[in-house]
Amino acid sequence: WGPHSSQAHPGGFPLPRTLPKKYFEEISANISKFGIHALVIIGGFEAFTGGLELVDGRARFEELCIPLCIIPATVSNNVPGSDFSIGADTALNTITTTCDLIKQSAAGTKRRVFIIETMGGFCGYLATMAGLAAGADAAYIYEEPFSSRDLQANVDHLTEKMKTTVKRGLVLRNERCNENYTTDFIYNLYSEEGKGVFDCRKNILGHMQQGGSPTPFDRNFGTKMGAKAVAWITGKIKECSRHGRIFANTADSACVLGMRKRSLVFQPIAELRQQTDFEHRIPKEQWWLRLRPILKILAKYNIELDTSETAHLEHLTRKVLVPEATL
């Protein structure tokens, strides 16, 4: 299910990435025809919205009353209910490696700034984390609005930096961070303002971010998610069986399996509705936004960072005492 295929096949069947709402009759008929007892949906934001639609359809179509589990898998990492989605780590590695290669091309004496556009829709996860890893001077994202004054401040900062021994700069821009401040606009601005100090190159990474062999993290993560989802589904089928028929209509029979603070947890999809910005296809709260001040520190901006006991360093401040007998 996805944004690219809302039209149907000539035969009237939906294409692979069409949302289910319009096709409840066909979906219900196929669930009956093939004796489908449960669904595991692997995908991105469409898998999430598709799951919500199927849950809403339960009231009208009894066939949809089967256990449902969504496994987040998208490079954008924008599925509500999970800190990570399968594929995001691989894309992040690809972007970081590419940024390293691009930076190396300026290893001579030339002073050069690279403007690089990453994928992610409205979600700035890839741009932010790749920026942290590759040493970006700025990472422009939708979640943290920026103005022409911010752009100017970044250019000024880079200009000053280039007057020292630093020979290269790196600026990341998430594809949908701002309608008007496009990659071309930012490239033109930096080119004009940097005249005589540095020259500019731009690079739109495009679909290379979606390919490649998965990283060990993604492979292990996918295996764990698959195993956990099947174990949960098996339990739910037993729980919901009555006289050989399956009827699952409770909120906890349709879940997103997500990673939350190192634990894999099942969360009713209906409860995640409130936590979602549907217009921009992102969760309303995103954990990685708290890491953004570190970007500024690494780029040598003078800013304060709260590292006190009250800051969001939960894994450091909340120590759990384990009785010795269990060790």
Side-chain angles (χ1 to χ4, degrees):
W1 295 327
H4 310 301
S5 54
S6 53
Q7 73 280 31
H9 273 311
F13 290 106
L15 285 172
R17 290 179 61 178
T18 309
L19 286 167
K21 207 175 199 169
K22 300 176 194 163
Y23 302 98
F24 280 158
E25 279 89 355
E26 292 95 322
I27 291 167
S28 301
N30 278 332
I31 287 173
S32 296
K33 181 181 167 187
F34 296 105
I36 293 169
H37 292 168
L39 283 176
V40 176
I41 304 171
I42 304 168
F45 199 83
E46 281 75 27
F48 175 75
T49 43
L52 271 175
E53 287 181 9
L54 290 173
V55 169
D56 292 343
R58 281 175 167 182
R60 287 176 26 239
F61 296 89
E62 200 175 296
E63 293 85 350
L64 300 179
C65 296
I66 55 174
L68 185 77
C69 177
I70 289 157
I71 295 178
T74 167
V75 296
S76 303
N77 198 23
N78 62 340
V79 180
S82 193
D83 292 348
F84 294 103
S85 54
I86 298 166
D89 187 65
T90 301
L92 191 51
N93 275 265
T94 307
I95 296 165
T96 307
T97 306
T98 311
C99 286
D100 289 348
L101 291 170
I102 288 169
K103 277 169 78 177
Q104 276 174 28
S105 72
T109 51
K110 279 208 172 101
R111 292 202 163 93
R112 189 165 279 172
V113 172
F114 295 95
I115 318 283
I116 295 174
E117 182 187 299
T118 67
M119 287 178 78
F122 283 101
C123 177
Y125 173 80
L126 290 176
T128 297
M129 300 308 272
L132 268 173
D137 294 280
Y140 300 118
I141 63 167
Y142 162 77
E143 293 91 339
E144 203 171 88
F146 57 97
S147 66
S148 56
R149 282 183 296 283
D150 297 314
L151 290 170
Q152 187 61 53
N154 293 150
V155 176
D156 293 345
H157 185 259
L158 259 177
T159 311
E160 286 308 304
K161 206 160 141 183
M162 291 284 181
K163 288 173 185 170
T164 65
T165 52
V166 177
K167 297 281 191 294
R168 59 211 168 169
L170 180 68
V171 173
L172 294 181
R173 179 190 174 273
N174 181 46
E175 58 181 353
R176 300 193 72 176
C177 67
N178 190 299
E179 226 179 311
N180 298 311
Y181 298 141
T182 60
T183 302
D184 282 340
F185 177 93
I186 292 172
Y187 166 72
N188 291 336
L189 176 77
Y190 275 72
S191 299
E192 182 60 35
E193 296 292 320
K195 263 185 191 162
V197 183
F198 58 80
D199 66 344
C200 263
R201 293 284 183 277
K202 68 168 188 279
N203 202 317
I204 294 167
L205 296 186
H207 282 79
M208 61 170 287
Q209 296 159 72
Q210 293 191 346
S213 300
T215 55
F217 174 86
D218 270 340
R219 295 177 198 209
N220 296 335
F221 186 36
T223 306
K224 286 175 195 162
M225 296 281 266
K228 192 129 174 150
V230 171
W232 180 84
I233 283 277
T234 314
K236 279 281 174 238
I237 288 174
K238 283 183 191 150
E239 202 182 293
C240 301
S241 289
R242 297 281 180 278
H243 314 297
R245 286 184 69 241
I246 290 161
F247 185 78
N249 202 13
T250 54
D252 67 352
S253 64
C255 285
V256 170
L257 170 56
M259 186 188 273
R260 293 283 207 187
K261 301 233 172 64
R262 299 198 197 92
S263 311
L264 295 181
V265 287
F266 290 91
Q267 301 145 98
I269 190 166
E271 288 175 15
L272 294 171
R273 201 190 290 262
Q274 284 75 42
Q275 299 173 27
T276 308
D277 172 355
F278 284 97
E279 188 194 340
H280 298 102
R281 302 153 51 84
I282 50 173
K284 286 178 184 170
E285 278 188 33
Q286 302 186 92
W287 63 272
W288 49 267
L289 281 168
R290 298 202 294 261
L291 301 176
R292 283 187 61 85
I294 300 170
L295 266 168
K296 281 250 195 297
I297 289 170
L298 293 176
K300 295 192 162 56
Y301 281 83
N302 292 322
I303 69 154
E304 290 292 315
L305 179 68
D306 182 10
T307 52
S308 66
E309 283 281 307
T310 54
H312 294 284
L313 297 169
E314 289 169 59
H315 60 293
L316 294 180
T317 55
R318 285 169 54 193
K319 289 196 175 102
V320 179
L321 293 170
V322 182
E324 277 180 38
T326 63
L327 292 173

